[in-house]
Amino acid sequence: AQALADLRAISRGRPVHDGGALSRVADRLRLATETITRLTDCTVDFVTSGEAVIPGALEDDLAAVTWESLTNAIRHGGATAIGIDLRSENESLSLIITDNGRWIDVSDAASSGIEGMRDRAVAWHGRAVIDHGDGTTRVVWRIPLDATGRPLI
C-alpha cells in the first residue's frame, strides 16, 4: 500500500525518496510493481543489473516513469505481461519497460504523461523513446552517468 501511495505522490510532483544505491532503488520499484500485480491481471517481471548512485530526485523520476509506463500499458494498451529492466552499464542508466499491450500512437502526446517521461529524461541530460514492434510496446528511458556511476548534473 505504501509503495502505491509513493508512486501516486511522485506522479503529482511531490518528492518522496532520498535515493541511494541502484539495488535499493530497484527494491523500492519492485515493491510498487508487486502492488500492480496484486491489483490487476498483469504479470510484471523485474530485473536489475549494475551499480549506480541514485539521488532522491532521480529515484522519484524513475518511479514516475515506471508508474506512467505501467498504467499506460495496462489501462490503455490492455497489457497482460510487462518486463522492467533497470540497468547501469557503459556510463548510462537505463530503464527499459516492455509490454504485450496494444500500440498507442504517441506522436500527438504533447500534453500527456508521455511528454512528462520525455521531460524527466531531458532534465537528466537523457532521452526517452517509445516504440513498438512484434506485438510489443517498449519505453527506453536512458540518462548518462559519469565514470563513478553518478548522474551528470
Side-chain angles (χ1 to χ4, degrees):
Q2 184 60 47
L4 193 56
D6 286 352
L7 284 173
R8 285 188 179 129
I10 291 164
S11 71
R12 293 180 178 104
R14 295 193 311 257
V16 172
H17 300 111
D18 58 1
L22 181 65
S23 58
R24 188 170 68 98
V25 171
D27 287 344
R28 286 182 175 167
L29 292 176
R30 189 175 287 111
L31 281 174
T33 63
E34 289 171 1
T35 300
I36 295 290
T37 301
R38 284 193 306 272
L39 297 173
T40 68
D41 292 329
C42 188
T43 60
V44 179
D45 182 33
F46 193 108
V47 296
T48 186
S49 62
E51 273 305 319
V53 178
I54 309 296
L58 177 54
E59 182 175 355
D60 287 348
D61 285 347
L62 288 166
V65 170
T66 301
W67 177 255
E68 182 68 27
S69 297
L70 290 174
T71 57
N72 285 347
I74 295 166
R75 184 179 301 147
H76 303 299
T80 58
I82 299 173
I84 300 174
D85 184 354
L86 178 62
R87 69 174 68 175
S88 170
E89 64 183 2
N90 301 325
E91 295 187 359
S92 71
L93 177 68
S94 301
L95 176 64
I96 303 165
I97 302 174
T98 307
D99 69 72
N100 68 347
R102 292 178 306 280
W103 168 247
I104 302 163
D105 185 7
V106 297
S107 61
D108 62 348
S111 64
S112 72
I114 301 287
E115 188 65 24
M117 289 193 289
R118 290 179 176 137
D119 290 345
R120 288 174 188 273
V122 168
W124 295 98
H125 307 287
R127 59 184 265 175
V129 176
I130 298 96
D131 63 14
H132 67 99
D134 298 328
T136 64
T137 300
R138 187 171 77 148
V139 174
V140 178
W141 196 87
R142 184 169 287 132
I143 67 162
L145 301 174
D146 68 16
T148 66
R150 297 177 192 283
L152 299 175
I153 61 165

